[in-house]
Amino acid sequence: MGMFSESVDVVCAPSGQPLELDWAGRHYTVCAEPVRWYERRQWWAEEQRAPLGSGPGLVDHEIWRVQVRRADSPDQESLTLDLTRHVGSGRWRLLRIHDALLPVRKPESA
């Protein structure tokens, strides 16, 4: 698994769920139901002060784990990525790339 902090362009459903993304000059589509959770961030190390009324996005940040396939190669193995969205700006960043999923093989009959 690799750790990153790279900008990505994400197209979302009206609910905010990622549907498509552009990264490193390639277009990807989400091919499985994404999972969302929140992680604490060390805001005291990143911010000089906490602006009044800035609760959402200051203490926690939203993480989405998505499985994607290249739009031009739908038969290719999927990639699992962790993305985060900055609450104030709406910008997305790629945080982690997980190993590609390996196909499940059926046991051979004896």
Side-chain angles (χ1 to χ4, degrees), residues 4 7 11 15 19 33 35-36 38 41-42 45 47 49-52 56-57 59 75 79 89-90 98 101 107 109:
F4 290 85
S7 182
V11 174
S15 64
L19 297 173
E33 188 72 23
V35 176
R36 178 175 65 171
Y38 294 87
R41 57 184 283 258
Q42 295 180 0
E47 307 286 341
R49 54 176 283 171
L52 185 62
V59 176
D75 296 334
L79 288 174
S89 67
H98 300 270
L101 296 177
S109 303

Side-chain angles (χ1 to χ4, degrees), residues 1 7 16 20 22 43 67-68 74 84 92 94 96 98 100 109:
M1 167 175 50
S7 182
E20 303 173 1
D22 291 317
W43 63 269
Q67 288 185 340
V68 296
T84 185
W92 288 85
L94 171 63
R96 293 176 197 95
H98 300 270
S109 303

Side-chain angles (χ1 to χ4, degrees), residues 35-96:
V35 176
R36 178 175 65 171
W37 72 92
Y38 294 87
E39 289 183 0
R40 293 278 171 186
R41 57 184 283 258
Q42 295 180 0
W43 63 269
W44 58 90
E46 300 169 13
E47 307 286 341
Q48 293 295 322
R49 54 176 283 171
L52 185 62
S54 64
L58 180 65
V59 176
D60 298 321
H61 59 268
E62 178 183 33
I63 309 289
W64 286 87
R65 181 160 294 161
V66 296
Q67 288 185 340
V68 296
R69 283 199 179 98
R70 285 186 42 188
D72 61 353
S73 303
D75 296 334
Q76 180 183 8
E77 284 186 9
S78 63
L79 288 174
T80 302
L81 309 174
D82 288 352
L83 308 173
T84 185
R85 177 174 34 198
H86 185 269
V87 173
S89 67
R91 290 187 314 217
W92 288 85
R93 301 204 59 83
L94 171 63
L95 295 179
R96 293 176 197 95

